[in-house]
Structures are given as C-alpha cells and as structure tokens.
Amino acid sequence: MCGIVGYIGHREAYPVVLKGLKRLEYRGYDSAGVAIYDGKNIKLSKTKGKVVDLETRVKEEISDVGTLAIGHTRWATHGEPNDVNSHPHYSNSGELVIIHNGIIENYAPLKQELINRGYEFKSDTDTEVLVNLIEDVKKNENVKLGKAVQVALNQVVGAYAIAVFDKNKPDEIVVARLGSPLVIGVGEDEFFIASDASPFIEYTNNAIYLEDEEMAIVRRGKKVKVRKIKDDSLVDPYVQELQLNLEQIEKGGYDHFMLKEIYEQPRAILDTFRGRMLANEGIIRMAGIDDNIEKFLNANRILIVACGTSWHAGLVAEYVFENLTRIPVEVEYASEFRYRNPVITEKDVVIAISQSGETADTMAAIKLAKSKGAFVFGVCNVVGSSISRETHAGAYTHAGPEIGVASTKAFTTQITVLTLIALKLAQKKGTISTSEFHQYLSEMDAIPAKVEKTLTSDNHVKTIANIYKDATNFLYLGRGYNFPVALEGALKLKEISYIHAEGYPAAEMKHGPIALIDEQMPVVVIATRKGHYDKVVSNIQEIKSRKGKIIAVVMQGDKTIKNIADYVIEIPETLELLTPLLTTIPLQLLSYYIAVMRDCNVDQPRNLAKSVTVE
Ligand code: M6R
C-alpha cells in the first residue's frame, strides 16, 4: 500500500505533489512526507498523520520552492507510524532520497551487511536499508544513480515501487517497480510519477505504466528510458492515453467519496453492461469470454479467488453460476488458497476478482493457478492494474475510480460482470431456456433504474441509523443469493463504524448466534419474497420472541414482515438472482450513516488502506 508521487519539470513541484498525495491518501494515511530539491539542496519534511498534517509541517519547517519533488503517504509495514519511519528517507551521506511502496523482505541481512560496513540507521524501515544499499553500490562501483538502483534491486527480495533522486544530479528521478504499481505521466517538458494516474490527470492524459521488473530514468527535457532490471535490456515504452477525468476523482458535492460512490451505482452498473448486453436483441458479448468460451464450457469447475468485498462478490457468483450454468464453483480466500497446496488442474478455470487489481494475495493465487496450468480470468476495476495484466483474459467492471476505502460500487459492478458471464455461458450450454435468458436480460436492463429507486430510501435509512448508531453489535442475516450480501453488510459496518458485526446464513442462527439475541441486538434481515421467504419469516419471529430488534430489507409491498419487524426498507421487485444488486444498497447506506453519526472517518477508516499490496 502507500502512495508515491513525484514531479520533475517547469512548475513548482510541491503543490503538484501535495495535491497528488491527497488523491492517493486512500492507499495509506498513517504518515506522509515530501522531499523538494530547491536548486541547491534537498528540503525534507515528514510527519506522522495525514497529508493535512504534512501541509502544516511543511509551512513551519521548509521552503517549498523547487521544480523537483517526491512525496509519500504511508500505510506502515516495517516500523510503527511515527515521524522517523515516515518517507522520504535519506541515504547516510544525505545525497540520495527515496520513497517506497512495498516490502523488502530480505532487509534484515542487507541491513546487517551495511551496518558491518559502517552505515547507520535512524528508522526501523526496510526503505532506509534500500536507499543505503543504492548508495553503497553507487560509491563502491563508481556508477551513476540509475545503474546503482539496478544493481541494488537485483539484490532485493520483495515488492517495490520506488522513486529516488540524487541531489548531485537534480535533473532526473529514477523509478522502478516490482509488484507495486507505478505510472509515469508524460507532459510537455514535464513528468509525473505516481502509484496511479489520479495525481496528474489535470496535467496530462499520456502515461507509461511500468511493468514488473522494469525501471525508468525520468530526465528533465528528455525521453523516458525504460529498462529491464534483471538484464539491463532497453524497453520501448508504450505511452497510453488515459480515459480518466478529473470529475471522476473528486467528491462532486458529496460529503464523502463513499456516499458519492454509493450514488454512482446506477451509472456504474449501466456502464458495466453497456455495449456488452443488448437486451432487446438477446445478446451478451464480452471479448474475454467470447474468445475463451470453450475453456469455460469444458471446465471441470470454476474456482473463484478474491479477498474482502471481492470475495463476497465471488460468493454471490457461486450461487449465480451454479444455478444458471450447472458448472461446479468453489470460492476461496486468495490468502488461504495460495498457501494450502490446493488441487488445481488444467481443466480448471480460475476467476480472480479484485477492484484494485493490486491485492498481493490475489496476485499470488493467480500465479499459483497459472503455474498449475489453469486458465485464469480477471475481473478488475482498475484498468492496466497488475492483476489485469497477469491474467490470461478478463473483463473490467467499468465502475470508475473507487476512492472510499469501503468498497461499494466495485461490489455491485463485480456482481454485474459475473452475472453477465454466467448468463452467457448458460445460454451457450443451454442450461437456461431462451425465454429465461431474455427475461434475465430485460430484468438486468432495468436494474440501474431500480438501484436509483432503492436509493430514495436514503432518508429512511438515515433515521434507522440514528436509532441504532450506539449499538455495540449487529447481526446480519440472509439466505441464498443474499447470504453473501449479509456478510458484505456486516463488513461495511465493521470497517467504517468500528461496531462489531457478523453476517450469517439466516438458518444458521439457531446453531449458535441466537444466544446473542437480546433487546440490545439489532438484526438486519434480508428477506426477499422468493428467497426462502417463509423460513426467513420464522427466523424473524424467533428473534422477535427474544426481544431482538429487526431491520428488514424486503420487496416492495411486503405486508407480512412489515407487521413483525421494527423497521422495513423496501427494494423494487426483481428476479431473485438479481436481488443482491438492490439489497446491498440500503446496507451500504446504513453503515455510511452510522459511521458519520459516530464521527468516524468514513473514507479513511483506521488501520485500513484501499489496496492491500502486502501479505
Ligand atoms: O482491490 P481488491 O478488490 O482486491 O480488495 C480486496 C479487499 O481488500 C477489499 O475488498 C476490502 O475488503 C475493502 N476494504 C472492503 O470494503
């Protein structure tokens, strides 16, 4: 995790880097720092806390003038988040300065070697080891910074995206990546370096995404030179035109990115199926599936690997795929899958789901599956992300940038893509009839408008949030397609409001969780009319008779549950298989409003970061 930003060109660099850090803060926010070259010296300022704290520090401590700067916003791995461990880090001579996103796994022996050679360390970080290793190579081998970086990185085990400069060569920044993202924005006589393109989108649409094991020398007024770190071979950099715009990465009048992203879901879902699903003509076309359809149709089973919310989307997909296609599906936490020596064969198709496309465990699971000969298909949101490039084929979710740490529109668009895939396969296999296929397509077509309608429950959900905001525990129950939605609702509440919450299949309640029910326990029950309705109604009765409080998400016009629940939130009628796209909306709003009312930092919850690029 961590966000890195750099600028070299003709503008004042600090404002560019500062704004960029604010945009990358979703990647980590426990400390921040900046190093500016002022024409003679490096000015460095860093602090525990957020980018706003850095802003104050810079004002107090250093001159912010200069046309070269690098900055960092951190999610701590090695060393607690304090001022000293914040990036950038100097080398011992004070000539080199570095920012780093990732982990140097063999930092301990490298550090010991450097200590034996007389190096001293101020911080507990692996990054300070790396910058001194680069310095050591540079001095001992009498080479330029670029070469020193290359030699040093060949001794390193781990993951990194780095930017480093030398105060004696202030016309260049050397960057490199392995396992952590790094993109170079190419402007008119100026360059931007960042973990994603958001810091420079108002300056240029042209970008070079470094591949793993590549490094680049970004030199003022020159073309970017890209090389392979391992064998020094030159790479012709591909300058790609970005589709991102500024509006997409700003709050657009909403108090928080999370709320904006919740409200973007009608548009995001539409964008996800736009051009892929032609409901009137009864067509689904998705290049990644069409080109590989036989692999899916002949698969022994489909394995889905993912983490967090993406794993929940995978669970929904398990129900959808098995029901529509009759292909067996297994869903695994990527972090477990990668280490448990799973049985994978060439007849398996693996679907990896990841919003960021950078999650380390998901990436490792993909590599493992590929090494066993499985065909791996990616479902990612971030275009050009590591996972989208590592997989054999894939489909983007087209949700647009998701900046709030709590995933919202990524979840519903992942379900949308996965449902389209399942429908396409079912049509090809003949496991659903033509009329069913057409019905699903026309219902899917109506989903954006129904999400819009569901969002009108906003004020009602806010009222419910106000009633239960001080609860210490919540239970979420759902069945079938909505069991994973219950898990997702509980995760949303936990991560942004810090209230303990658990999701369960409704029928499991009597096997344990029922012991928790008393008058203090709010229970959110998803009770759609066709989802084992009567059984869920019985579960609600069981909770009520133990004085639990029921907040039920029901289909429009439901009368039975209205009579027994404390509160009901209605969603429009749709096919049961598509209900997760609607039932999840009020649960997102509920957690959002509770977190706001508890004065929590909704977009940047404590201890979390948007993309988990470490194990
Ligand atoms: O980028 P990914 O989808 O791979 O991320 C997976 C999880 O880290 C992510 O979904 C996380 O659980 C979110 N904070 C949930 O809101």
Side-chain angles (χ1 to χ4, degrees), residues 306-312 353-360 362 379 387 402 404-408 410 414 488 491-492 495-496 605 608-612:
C307 302
T309 289
S310 297
W311 182 75
H312 294 155
I353 311 172
S354 174
Q355 186 286 132
S356 61
E358 302 295 342
T359 301
T362 309
V379 175
I387 289 176
E402 190 182 68
V405 164
S407 237
T408 50
Q414 285 163 349
E488 175 60 8
L491 175 65
K492 272 320 63 116
E495 67 179 331
I496 62 169
L608 289 174
K610 185 71 182 161
S611 45
V612 184

mmCIF file of all heavy atoms in Angstrom, residues 306-312 353-360 362 379 387 402 404-408 410 414 488 491-492 495-496 605 608-612, ligand 1:
data_model
loop_
_atom_site.group_PDB
_atom_site.id
_atom_site.type_symbol
_atom_site.label_atom_id
_atom_site.label_comp_id
_atom_site.label_asym_id
_atom_site.label_seq_id
_atom_site.Cartn_x
_atom_site.Cartn_y
_atom_site.Cartn_z
ATOM 1 N N ALA A 306 -10.364 -14.374 -4.317
ATOM 2 C CA ALA A 306 -10.504 -12.936 -4.070
ATOM 3 C C ALA A 306 -10.338 -12.675 -2.574
ATOM 4 O O ALA A 306 -10.186 -13.618 -1.781
ATOM 5 C CB ALA A 306 -11.877 -12.453 -4.532
ATOM 6 N N CYS A 307 -10.375 -11.423 -2.190
ATOM 7 C CA CYS A 307 -10.297 -11.028 -0.773
ATOM 8 C C CYS A 307 -11.415 -10.024 -0.469
ATOM 9 O O CYS A 307 -11.857 -9.296 -1.356
ATOM 10 C CB CYS A 307 -8.973 -10.335 -0.469
ATOM 11 S SG CYS A 307 -7.528 -11.321 -0.846
ATOM 12 N N GLY A 308 -11.792 -9.967 0.790
ATOM 13 C CA GLY A 308 -12.702 -8.921 1.277
ATOM 14 C C GLY A 308 -14.009 -8.871 0.506
ATOM 15 O O GLY A 308 -14.666 -9.886 0.244
ATOM 16 N N THR A 309 -14.376 -7.663 0.148
ATOM 17 C CA THR A 309 -15.636 -7.464 -0.573
ATOM 18 C C THR A 309 -15.648 -8.225 -1.892
ATOM 19 O O THR A 309 -16.684 -8.760 -2.310
ATOM 20 C CB THR A 309 -15.831 -5.946 -0.813
ATOM 21 O OG1 THR A 309 -16.134 -5.347 0.445
ATOM 22 C CG2 THR A 309 -16.950 -5.656 -1.786
ATOM 23 N N SER A 310 -14.503 -8.294 -2.557
ATOM 24 C CA SER A 310 -14.449 -9.016 -3.839
ATOM 25 C C SER A 310 -14.749 -10.499 -3.614
ATOM 26 O O SER A 310 -15.350 -11.159 -4.469
ATOM 27 C CB SER A 310 -13.071 -8.849 -4.483
ATOM 28 O OG SER A 310 -12.846 -7.500 -4.777
ATOM 29 N N TRP A 311 -14.335 -11.009 -2.468
ATOM 30 C CA TRP A 311 -14.650 -12.402 -2.123
ATOM 31 C C TRP A 311 -16.172 -12.563 -1.940
ATOM 32 O O TRP A 311 -16.767 -13.561 -2.366
ATOM 33 C CB TRP A 311 -13.877 -12.783 -0.852
ATOM 34 C CG TRP A 311 -14.056 -14.196 -0.399
ATOM 35 C CD1 TRP A 311 -13.510 -15.312 -0.952
ATOM 36 C CD2 TRP A 311 -14.843 -14.645 0.720
ATOM 37 N NE1 TRP A 311 -13.909 -16.428 -0.245
ATOM 38 C CE2 TRP A 311 -14.717 -16.050 0.785
ATOM 39 C CE3 TRP A 311 -15.629 -14.001 1.674
ATOM 40 C CZ2 TRP A 311 -15.345 -16.816 1.757
ATOM 41 C CZ3 TRP A 311 -16.262 -14.757 2.649
ATOM 42 C CH2 TRP A 311 -16.118 -16.152 2.681
ATOM 43 N N HIS A 312 -16.791 -11.565 -1.342
ATOM 44 C CA HIS A 312 -18.260 -11.625 -1.197
ATOM 45 C C HIS A 312 -18.940 -11.642 -2.569
ATOM 46 O O HIS A 312 -19.918 -12.352 -2.775
ATOM 47 C CB HIS A 312 -18.776 -10.435 -0.373
ATOM 48 C CG HIS A 312 -18.307 -10.460 1.049
ATOM 49 N ND1 HIS A 312 -18.202 -9.336 1.826
ATOM 50 C CD2 HIS A 312 -17.886 -11.497 1.829
ATOM 51 C CE1 HIS A 312 -17.745 -9.667 3.023
ATOM 52 N NE2 HIS A 312 -17.550 -10.969 3.050
ATOM 53 N N ILE A 353 -11.004 -12.002 -8.682
ATOM 54 C CA ILE A 353 -11.768 -10.748 -8.615
ATOM 55 C C ILE A 353 -10.998 -9.751 -7.758
ATOM 56 O O ILE A 353 -10.592 -10.082 -6.635
ATOM 57 C CB ILE A 353 -13.168 -10.975 -7.990
ATOM 58 C CG1 ILE A 353 -13.879 -12.173 -8.649
ATOM 59 C CG2 ILE A 353 -14.025 -9.727 -8.103
ATOM 60 C CD1 ILE A 353 -15.176 -12.564 -7.945
ATOM 61 N N SER A 354 -10.820 -8.556 -8.271
ATOM 62 C CA SER A 354 -10.130 -7.528 -7.477
ATOM 63 C C SER A 354 -10.468 -6.147 -8.010
ATOM 64 O O SER A 354 -10.273 -5.879 -9.195
ATOM 65 C CB SER A 354 -8.618 -7.750 -7.544
ATOM 66 O OG SER A 354 -7.942 -6.690 -6.913
ATOM 67 N N GLN A 355 -10.985 -5.301 -7.142
ATOM 68 C CA GLN A 355 -11.255 -3.921 -7.545
ATOM 69 C C GLN A 355 -9.972 -3.249 -7.979
ATOM 70 O O GLN A 355 -9.865 -2.730 -9.085
ATOM 71 C CB GLN A 355 -11.894 -3.165 -6.368
ATOM 72 C CG GLN A 355 -12.363 -1.754 -6.657
ATOM 73 C CD GLN A 355 -11.277 -0.710 -6.794
ATOM 74 O OE1 GLN A 355 -11.282 0.077 -7.757
ATOM 75 N NE2 GLN A 355 -10.315 -0.680 -5.908
ATOM 76 N N SER A 356 -8.993 -3.254 -7.092
ATOM 77 C CA SER A 356 -7.752 -2.508 -7.346
ATOM 78 C C SER A 356 -6.885 -3.180 -8.395
ATOM 79 O O SER A 356 -6.110 -2.528 -9.085
ATOM 80 C CB SER A 356 -6.943 -2.411 -6.052
ATOM 81 O OG SER A 356 -6.602 -3.719 -5.607
ATOM 82 N N GLY A 357 -6.985 -4.511 -8.469
ATOM 83 C CA GLY A 357 -6.090 -5.256 -9.348
ATOM 84 C C GLY A 357 -4.677 -5.305 -8.801
ATOM 85 O O GLY A 357 -3.737 -5.630 -9.527
ATOM 86 N N GLU A 358 -4.514 -4.997 -7.514
ATOM 87 C CA GLU A 358 -3.171 -4.970 -6.940
ATOM 88 C C GLU A 358 -3.041 -5.845 -5.690
ATOM 89 O O GLU A 358 -1.962 -5.906 -5.106
ATOM 90 C CB GLU A 358 -2.772 -3.530 -6.537
ATOM 91 C CG GLU A 358 -2.797 -2.513 -7.664
ATOM 92 C CD GLU A 358 -1.768 -2.772 -8.754
ATOM 93 O OE1 GLU A 358 -0.798 -3.519 -8.504
ATOM 94 O OE2 GLU A 358 -1.951 -2.240 -9.867
ATOM 95 N N THR A 359 -4.115 -6.478 -5.249
ATOM 96 C CA THR A 359 -4.089 -7.203 -3.981
ATOM 97 C C THR A 359 -3.067 -8.349 -4.028
ATOM 98 O O THR A 359 -3.152 -9.236 -4.891
ATOM 99 C CB THR A 359 -5.510 -7.728 -3.652
ATOM 100 O OG1 THR A 359 -6.364 -6.595 -3.582
ATOM 101 C CG2 THR A 359 -5.549 -8.479 -2.336
ATOM 102 N N ALA A 360 -2.129 -8.304 -3.082
ATOM 103 C CA ALA A 360 -0.983 -9.218 -3.134
ATOM 104 C C ALA A 360 -1.418 -10.689 -3.066
ATOM 105 O O ALA A 360 -0.906 -11.532 -3.818
ATOM 106 C CB ALA A 360 -0.024 -8.900 -1.997
ATOM 107 N N THR A 362 -4.276 -12.046 -3.893
ATOM 108 C CA THR A 362 -4.983 -12.454 -5.108
ATOM 109 C C THR A 362 -3.968 -12.664 -6.234
ATOM 110 O O THR A 362 -4.066 -13.621 -7.015
ATOM 111 C CB THR A 362 -6.054 -11.406 -5.478
ATOM 112 O OG1 THR A 362 -6.840 -11.152 -4.314
ATOM 113 C CG2 THR A 362 -6.943 -11.868 -6.604
ATOM 114 N N VAL A 379 -11.346 -10.255 -13.080
ATOM 115 C CA VAL A 379 -12.425 -9.265 -13.034
ATOM 116 C C VAL A 379 -11.895 -8.106 -12.182
ATOM 117 O O VAL A 379 -11.814 -8.212 -10.959
ATOM 118 C CB VAL A 379 -13.721 -9.864 -12.430
ATOM 119 C CG1 VAL A 379 -14.794 -8.779 -12.279
ATOM 120 C CG2 VAL A 379 -14.244 -10.996 -13.306
ATOM 121 N N ILE A 387 -3.083 -7.138 -11.769
ATOM 122 C CA ILE A 387 -3.857 -8.380 -11.931
ATOM 123 C C ILE A 387 -4.466 -8.445 -13.329
ATOM 124 O O ILE A 387 -4.494 -9.501 -13.962
ATOM 125 C CB ILE A 387 -4.924 -8.509 -10.810
ATOM 126 C CG1 ILE A 387 -4.206 -8.803 -9.488
ATOM 127 C CG2 ILE A 387 -5.980 -9.567 -11.143
ATOM 128 C CD1 ILE A 387 -5.084 -8.876 -8.264
ATOM 129 N N GLU A 402 -12.726 4.056 -7.588
ATOM 130 C CA GLU A 402 -13.359 3.912 -6.267
ATOM 131 C C GLU A 402 -12.329 4.370 -5.244
ATOM 132 O O GLU A 402 -11.279 3.745 -5.084
ATOM 133 C CB GLU A 402 -13.782 2.457 -6.020
ATOM 134 C CG GLU A 402 -14.657 2.337 -4.783
ATOM 135 C CD GLU A 402 -15.049 0.898 -4.490
ATOM 136 O OE1 GLU A 402 -14.149 0.107 -4.122
ATOM 137 O OE2 GLU A 402 -16.226 0.559 -4.622
ATOM 138 N N GLY A 404 -13.206 5.783 -1.834
ATOM 139 C CA GLY A 404 -13.545 5.414 -0.455
ATOM 140 C C GLY A 404 -12.956 4.035 -0.163
ATOM 141 O O GLY A 404 -13.046 3.141 -1.013
ATOM 142 N N VAL A 405 -12.372 3.889 1.012
ATOM 143 C CA VAL A 405 -11.723 2.603 1.327
ATOM 144 C C VAL A 405 -12.759 1.472 1.365
ATOM 145 O O VAL A 405 -12.482 0.345 0.961
ATOM 146 C CB VAL A 405 -10.916 2.728 2.644
ATOM 147 C CG1 VAL A 405 -10.566 1.361 3.205
ATOM 148 C CG2 VAL A 405 -9.642 3.537 2.379
ATOM 149 N N ALA A 406 -13.947 1.790 1.831
ATOM 150 C CA ALA A 406 -15.005 0.769 1.849
ATOM 151 C C ALA A 406 -15.557 0.599 0.427
ATOM 152 O O ALA A 406 -16.053 1.539 -0.175
ATOM 153 C CB ALA A 406 -16.113 1.194 2.794
ATOM 154 N N SER A 407 -15.465 -0.596 -0.064
ATOM 155 C CA SER A 407 -15.916 -0.889 -1.420
ATOM 156 C C SER A 407 -17.431 -0.848 -1.520
ATOM 157 O O SER A 407 -18.127 -1.443 -0.688
ATOM 158 C CB SER A 407 -15.458 -2.306 -1.768
ATOM 159 O OG SER A 407 -14.685 -2.303 -2.906
ATOM 160 N N THR A 408 -17.957 -0.168 -2.510
ATOM 161 C CA THR A 408 -19.411 -0.120 -2.701
ATOM 162 C C THR A 408 -19.750 -0.443 -4.161
ATOM 163 O O THR A 408 -20.201 -1.531 -4.482
ATOM 164 C CB THR A 408 -19.962 1.277 -2.319
ATOM 165 O OG1 THR A 408 -19.192 2.279 -2.979
ATOM 166 C CG2 THR A 408 -19.935 1.484 -0.818
ATOM 167 N N ALA A 410 -17.784 -1.087 -6.485
ATOM 168 C CA ALA A 410 -16.983 -2.201 -7.015
ATOM 169 C C ALA A 410 -17.766 -3.503 -6.842
ATOM 170 O O ALA A 410 -17.795 -4.344 -7.738
ATOM 171 C CB ALA A 410 -15.646 -2.281 -6.300
ATOM 172 N N GLN A 414 -18.991 -5.802 -9.856
ATOM 173 C CA GLN A 414 -18.413 -7.158 -9.965
ATOM 174 C C GLN A 414 -19.537 -8.177 -10.142
ATOM 175 O O GLN A 414 -19.461 -9.076 -10.994
ATOM 176 C CB GLN A 414 -17.615 -7.494 -8.694
ATOM 177 C CG GLN A 414 -16.276 -6.777 -8.611
ATOM 178 C CD GLN A 414 -15.674 -6.785 -7.213
ATOM 179 O OE1 GLN A 414 -16.328 -7.143 -6.236
ATOM 180 N NE2 GLN A 414 -14.416 -6.388 -7.106
ATOM 181 N N GLU A 488 -21.437 -8.994 3.469
ATOM 182 C CA GLU A 488 -20.934 -7.708 2.979
ATOM 183 C C GLU A 488 -21.467 -6.553 3.834
ATOM 184 O O GLU A 488 -20.728 -5.617 4.157
ATOM 185 C CB GLU A 488 -21.337 -7.553 1.495
ATOM 186 C CG GLU A 488 -21.013 -6.234 0.857
ATOM 187 C CD GLU A 488 -19.530 -5.861 0.846
ATOM 188 O OE1 GLU A 488 -18.689 -6.701 1.207
ATOM 189 O OE2 GLU A 488 -19.228 -4.710 0.518
ATOM 190 N N LEU A 491 -19.466 -6.513 6.990
ATOM 191 C CA LEU A 491 -18.105 -5.992 6.752
ATOM 192 C C LEU A 491 -18.131 -4.472 6.629
ATOM 193 O O LEU A 491 -17.283 -3.769 7.198
ATOM 194 C CB LEU A 491 -17.508 -6.626 5.489
ATOM 195 C CG LEU A 491 -16.145 -6.078 5.051
ATOM 196 C CD1 LEU A 491 -15.063 -6.387 6.084
ATOM 197 C CD2 LEU A 491 -15.721 -6.638 3.699
ATOM 198 N N LYS A 492 -19.109 -3.949 5.890
ATOM 199 C CA LYS A 492 -19.195 -2.493 5.695
ATOM 200 C C LYS A 492 -19.322 -1.798 7.041
ATOM 201 O O LYS A 492 -18.647 -0.810 7.299
ATOM 202 C CB LYS A 492 -20.419 -2.120 4.858
ATOM 203 C CG LYS A 492 -20.450 -2.040 3.385
ATOM 204 C CD LYS A 492 -19.367 -1.493 2.584
ATOM 205 C CE LYS A 492 -18.093 -2.230 2.681
ATOM 206 N NZ LYS A 492 -17.570 -2.875 1.507
ATOM 207 N N GLU A 495 -15.999 -2.043 9.158
ATOM 208 C CA GLU A 495 -14.797 -1.321 8.726
ATOM 209 C C GLU A 495 -14.928 0.181 8.836
ATOM 210 O O GLU A 495 -13.931 0.855 9.065
ATOM 211 C CB GLU A 495 -14.336 -1.747 7.326
ATOM 212 C CG GLU A 495 -15.223 -1.411 6.193
ATOM 213 C CD GLU A 495 -14.642 -1.871 4.845
ATOM 214 O OE1 GLU A 495 -13.421 -1.943 4.691
ATOM 215 O OE2 GLU A 495 -15.446 -2.138 3.939
ATOM 216 N N ILE A 496 -16.144 0.723 8.753
ATOM 217 C CA ILE A 496 -16.185 2.190 8.822
ATOM 218 C C ILE A 496 -16.771 2.737 10.122
ATOM 219 O O ILE A 496 -16.538 3.891 10.444
ATOM 220 C CB ILE A 496 -16.911 2.813 7.606
ATOM 221 C CG1 ILE A 496 -18.363 2.379 7.524
ATOM 222 C CG2 ILE A 496 -16.168 2.529 6.323
ATOM 223 C CD1 ILE A 496 -19.149 3.185 6.495
ATOM 224 N N PRO A 605 -11.008 4.771 7.025
ATOM 225 C CA PRO A 605 -11.139 4.141 8.342
ATOM 226 C C PRO A 605 -9.775 3.740 8.914
ATOM 227 O O PRO A 605 -8.842 3.473 8.154
ATOM 228 C CB PRO A 605 -12.000 2.909 8.070
ATOM 229 C CG PRO A 605 -12.195 2.826 6.614
ATOM 230 C CD PRO A 605 -11.672 4.029 5.954
ATOM 231 N N LEU A 608 -6.828 0.771 7.925
ATOM 232 C CA LEU A 608 -7.086 0.166 6.612
ATOM 233 C C LEU A 608 -6.399 0.942 5.491
ATOM 234 O O LEU A 608 -5.938 2.055 5.687
ATOM 235 C CB LEU A 608 -8.595 0.142 6.327
ATOM 236 C CG LEU A 608 -9.412 -0.831 7.153
ATOM 237 C CD1 LEU A 608 -10.894 -0.637 6.876
ATOM 238 C CD2 LEU A 608 -9.025 -2.266 6.837
ATOM 239 N N ALA A 609 -6.353 0.346 4.338
ATOM 240 C CA ALA A 609 -5.899 1.032 3.127
ATOM 241 C C ALA A 609 -6.672 0.433 1.970
ATOM 242 O O ALA A 609 -7.191 -0.678 2.069
ATOM 243 C CB ALA A 609 -4.416 0.837 2.909
ATOM 244 N N LYS A 610 -6.758 1.162 0.901
ATOM 245 C CA LYS A 610 -7.608 0.734 -0.209
ATOM 246 C C LYS A 610 -7.086 -0.521 -0.894
ATOM 247 O O LYS A 610 -7.845 -1.438 -1.173
ATOM 248 C CB LYS A 610 -7.721 1.883 -1.218
ATOM 249 C CG LYS A 610 -8.667 1.609 -2.356
ATOM 250 C CD LYS A 610 -10.092 1.613 -1.890
ATOM 251 C CE LYS A 610 -11.075 1.288 -2.993
ATOM 252 N NZ LYS A 610 -12.355 0.865 -2.405
ATOM 253 N N SER A 611 -5.789 -0.525 -1.209
ATOM 254 C CA SER A 611 -5.319 -1.750 -1.855
ATOM 255 C C SER A 611 -4.253 -2.384 -0.971
ATOM 256 O O SER A 611 -3.325 -1.710 -0.513
ATOM 257 C CB SER A 611 -4.808 -1.491 -3.264
ATOM 258 O OG SER A 611 -3.985 -0.365 -3.283
ATOM 259 N N VAL A 612 -4.426 -3.666 -0.747
ATOM 260 C CA VAL A 612 -3.557 -4.370 0.200
ATOM 261 C C VAL A 612 -2.479 -5.089 -0.607
ATOM 262 O O VAL A 612 -2.635 -6.243 -0.996
ATOM 263 C CB VAL A 612 -4.385 -5.332 1.078
ATOM 264 C CG1 VAL A 612 -3.506 -5.978 2.131
ATOM 265 C CG2 VAL A 612 -5.514 -4.569 1.752
HETATM 266 O O1 M6R B 1 -8.870 -4.392 -4.521
HETATM 267 P P1 M6R B 1 -9.473 -5.701 -4.054
HETATM 268 O O2 M6R B 1 -10.852 -5.867 -4.525
HETATM 269 O O3 M6R B 1 -8.601 -6.868 -4.379
HETATM 270 O O4 M6R B 1 -9.503 -5.562 -2.485
HETATM 271 C C1 M6R B 1 -9.936 -6.622 -1.678
HETATM 272 C C2 M6R B 1 -10.194 -6.145 -0.263
HETATM 273 O O5 M6R B 1 -9.029 -5.626 0.295
HETATM 274 C C3 M6R B 1 -11.292 -5.080 -0.209
HETATM 275 O O6 M6R B 1 -12.471 -5.525 -0.787
HETATM 276 C C4 M6R B 1 -11.577 -4.682 1.255
HETATM 277 O O7 M6R B 1 -12.137 -5.745 1.943
HETATM 278 C C5 M6R B 1 -12.479 -3.447 1.302
HETATM 279 N N1 M6R B 1 -11.980 -2.515 2.262
HETATM 280 C C6 M6R B 1 -13.860 -3.753 1.668
HETATM 281 O O8 M6R B 1 -14.672 -2.629 1.726
#
